[in-house]
Amino acid sequence: MNVFKSKIDKWLLFCLILSIIACLLGASVMLKIGGTFNYVFATVILIFGAGFPLWLLVSTRYSVNSENLKIVSGPFSWDIPIQSIMSVEESQNAVASPALSLDRLEIKYGEDKAIYVSPVDKAAFIQKLGGWKLNVADQGDQQRTGGKTSQSQKKKKQRKPIKQGGVNK
Protein backbone atom coordinates (compact mmCIF):
# COMPACT_ATOMS: atom_id res chain seq x y z
CA MET A 1 0.00 0.00 0.00
CA ASN A 2 1.27 3.46 -0.93
CA VAL A 3 0.26 6.46 1.17
CA PHE A 4 0.32 10.00 -0.21
CA LYS A 5 -0.06 13.03 2.06
CA SER A 6 -2.09 16.00 0.89
CA LYS A 7 -0.23 19.03 -0.36
CA ILE A 8 -1.04 22.00 1.92
CA ASP A 9 -1.27 25.53 0.54
CA LYS A 10 0.51 28.06 2.75
CA TRP A 11 -2.48 30.42 2.79
CA LEU A 12 -4.79 27.61 3.96
CA LEU A 13 -2.31 26.53 6.63
CA PHE A 14 -2.10 30.15 7.83
CA CYS A 15 -5.92 30.46 7.98
CA LEU A 16 -6.36 27.18 9.84
CA ILE A 17 -3.62 27.97 12.37
CA LEU A 18 -5.07 31.45 12.88
CA SER A 19 -8.55 30.00 13.51
CA ILE A 20 -7.12 27.42 15.93
CA ILE A 21 -5.32 30.17 17.87
CA ALA A 22 -8.48 32.30 17.93
CA CYS A 23 -10.49 29.35 19.28
CA LEU A 24 -7.87 28.62 21.93
CA LEU A 25 -7.91 32.26 23.03
CA GLY A 26 -11.72 32.33 23.09
CA ALA A 27 -11.88 29.13 25.11
CA SER A 28 -9.29 30.42 27.59
CA VAL A 29 -11.39 33.56 28.16
CA MET A 30 -14.49 31.42 28.76
CA LEU A 31 -12.56 29.24 31.24
CA LYS A 32 -11.27 32.32 33.13
CA ILE A 33 -14.80 33.67 33.48
CA GLY A 34 -15.95 30.33 34.87
CA GLY A 35 -19.39 28.87 35.31
CA THR A 36 -20.95 25.71 33.94
CA PHE A 37 -22.22 27.28 30.72
CA ASN A 38 -18.80 28.80 29.97
CA TYR A 39 -17.02 25.49 30.63
CA VAL A 40 -19.37 23.67 28.25
CA PHE A 41 -19.07 26.41 25.63
CA ALA A 42 -15.25 26.41 25.92
CA THR A 43 -15.24 22.63 25.41
CA VAL A 44 -17.40 22.95 22.29
CA ILE A 45 -15.13 25.70 20.94
CA LEU A 46 -12.03 23.56 21.56
CA ILE A 47 -13.49 20.44 19.96
CA PHE A 48 -15.05 22.00 16.86
CA GLY A 49 -13.11 25.22 16.42
CA ALA A 50 -9.61 23.94 17.15
CA GLY A 51 -9.82 20.15 17.06
CA PHE A 52 -11.59 19.70 13.73
CA PRO A 53 -9.21 21.85 11.62
CA LEU A 54 -6.22 20.23 13.33
CA TRP A 55 -7.67 16.76 12.62
CA LEU A 56 -8.06 17.65 8.92
CA LEU A 57 -4.48 18.95 8.75
CA VAL A 58 -2.86 15.86 10.23
CA SER A 59 -5.08 13.15 8.74
CA THR A 60 -5.73 14.06 5.08
CA ARG A 61 -4.09 11.32 3.01
CA TYR A 62 -4.64 9.05 0.05
CA SER A 63 -3.80 5.33 0.20
CA VAL A 64 -3.49 3.29 -2.99
CA ASN A 65 -3.29 -0.49 -3.16
CA SER A 66 -3.82 -2.82 -6.09
CA GLU A 67 -7.62 -2.67 -5.83
CA ASN A 68 -8.70 0.53 -4.04
CA LEU A 69 -8.03 4.18 -3.49
CA LYS A 70 -8.82 5.09 0.12
CA ILE A 71 -9.16 8.78 0.90
CA VAL A 72 -9.18 9.93 4.54
CA SER A 73 -9.71 13.49 5.74
CA GLY A 74 -10.62 13.91 9.39
CA PRO A 75 -13.82 11.96 10.12
CA PHE A 76 -14.55 11.50 6.41
CA SER A 77 -13.38 8.62 4.25
CA TRP A 78 -13.99 7.28 0.76
CA ASP A 79 -13.16 3.88 -0.72
CA ILE A 80 -12.99 3.98 -4.51
CA PRO A 81 -12.33 0.81 -6.51
CA ILE A 82 -9.50 1.57 -8.92
CA GLN A 83 -11.37 -0.19 -11.75
CA SER A 84 -14.19 2.37 -11.41
CA ILE A 85 -11.82 5.33 -12.05
CA MET A 86 -12.44 6.67 -15.54
CA SER A 87 -10.18 9.74 -15.66
CA VAL A 88 -7.78 11.91 -13.71
CA GLU A 89 -7.44 15.58 -14.63
CA GLU A 90 -5.55 18.49 -13.14
CA SER A 91 -7.85 21.08 -11.63
CA GLN A 92 -7.92 24.18 -9.48
CA ASN A 93 -11.60 23.88 -8.61
CA ALA A 94 -12.21 25.21 -5.09
CA VAL A 95 -15.19 22.95 -4.36
CA ALA A 96 -15.17 21.39 -0.89
CA SER A 97 -13.15 18.19 -1.00
CA PRO A 98 -10.48 16.18 0.84
CA ALA A 99 -7.72 18.38 -0.59
CA LEU A 100 -5.71 20.96 1.35
CA SER A 101 -4.42 22.70 -1.77
CA LEU A 102 -5.89 24.21 -4.93
CA ASP A 103 -3.27 22.27 -6.93
CA ARG A 104 -5.65 19.35 -7.35
CA LEU A 105 -6.50 16.28 -9.34
CA GLU A 106 -10.11 15.62 -10.28
CA ILE A 107 -10.83 11.90 -10.17
CA LYS A 108 -13.93 10.85 -12.09
CA TYR A 109 -15.26 7.44 -11.14
CA GLY A 110 -18.41 5.36 -11.07
CA GLU A 111 -21.47 6.86 -12.65
CA ASP A 112 -21.07 10.65 -12.71
CA LYS A 113 -19.04 10.84 -9.49
CA ALA A 114 -15.99 13.01 -8.96
CA ILE A 115 -13.68 13.83 -6.08
CA TYR A 116 -10.77 16.25 -5.81
CA VAL A 117 -7.47 15.32 -4.18
CA SER A 118 -4.13 17.12 -3.81
CA PRO A 119 -1.28 14.65 -3.33
CA VAL A 120 2.18 16.17 -2.87
CA ASP A 121 3.63 13.93 -5.60
CA LYS A 122 0.93 13.92 -8.27
CA ALA A 123 2.97 11.97 -10.85
CA ALA A 124 3.71 9.09 -8.45
CA PHE A 125 0.08 9.10 -7.28
CA ILE A 126 -1.23 8.81 -10.85
CA GLN A 127 1.30 6.07 -11.61
CA LYS A 128 0.17 4.05 -8.56
CA LEU A 129 -3.44 4.41 -9.73
CA GLY A 130 -2.35 2.79 -12.99
CA GLY A 131 -1.91 6.06 -14.86
CA TRP A 132 -0.79 4.27 -17.99
CA LYS A 133 -4.33 2.83 -18.22
CA LEU A 134 -6.16 6.07 -17.38
CA ASN A 135 -7.26 9.01 -19.49
CA VAL A 136 -5.02 11.62 -17.85
CA ALA A 137 -5.60 15.17 -19.08
CA ASP A 138 -3.32 18.09 -18.27
CA GLN A 139 -5.02 21.49 -18.29
CA GLY A 140 -1.56 23.04 -18.31
CA ASP A 141 -1.25 22.00 -21.99
CA GLN A 142 -3.45 24.87 -23.12
CA GLN A 143 -1.68 27.32 -20.82
CA ARG A 144 1.71 26.37 -22.28
CA THR A 145 0.47 26.84 -25.85
CA GLY A 146 -1.24 30.15 -25.17
CA GLY A 147 -4.76 28.69 -25.30
CA LYS A 148 -4.28 27.09 -28.73
CA THR A 149 -4.95 23.40 -29.00
CA SER A 150 -2.47 21.41 -31.09
CA GLN A 151 -3.38 18.34 -33.16
CA SER A 152 -1.83 15.98 -30.58
CA GLN A 153 -3.83 17.69 -27.82
CA LYS A 154 -7.04 17.33 -29.83
CA LYS A 155 -6.34 13.62 -30.28
CA LYS A 156 -5.64 13.27 -26.57
CA LYS A 157 -8.97 14.95 -25.74
CA GLN A 158 -10.85 12.74 -28.20
CA ARG A 159 -9.73 9.56 -26.42
CA LYS A 160 -12.47 7.98 -24.42
CA PRO A 161 -11.95 7.16 -20.75
CA ILE A 162 -10.87 3.66 -19.77
CA LYS A 163 -13.81 1.43 -18.94
CA GLN A 164 -13.78 -1.48 -16.54
CA GLY A 165 -11.58 -4.25 -17.75
CA GLY A 166 -8.98 -1.75 -19.07
CA VAL A 167 -10.21 -1.65 -22.69
CA ASN A 168 -11.05 1.51 -24.66
CA LYS A 169 -14.45 1.37 -26.30
Side-chain angles (χ1 to χ4, degrees), residues 7-8 11 27 33 49-50 57 69 72 75 77 79 87 94 109-111 138 151 154:
K7 182 177 182 179
I8 303 173
W11 65 269
I33 293 172
L57 277 173
L69 165 61
V72 176
S77 69
D79 282 310
S87 68
Y109 66 99
E111 292 186 27
D138 182 4
Q151 290 292 41
K154 287 179 184 175

Side-chain angles (χ1 to χ4, degrees), residues 6-20 53 56-57 60 97-102 104 118:
S6 178
K7 182 177 182 179
I8 303 173
D9 283 344
K10 289 178 185 175
W11 65 269
L12 178 64
L13 181 63
F14 177 77
C15 289
L16 289 175
I17 290 174
L18 193 61
S19 71
I20 290 169
L56 292 176
L57 277 173
T60 302
S97 63
L100 301 176
S101 171
L102 289 178
R104 299 175 169 194
S118 60

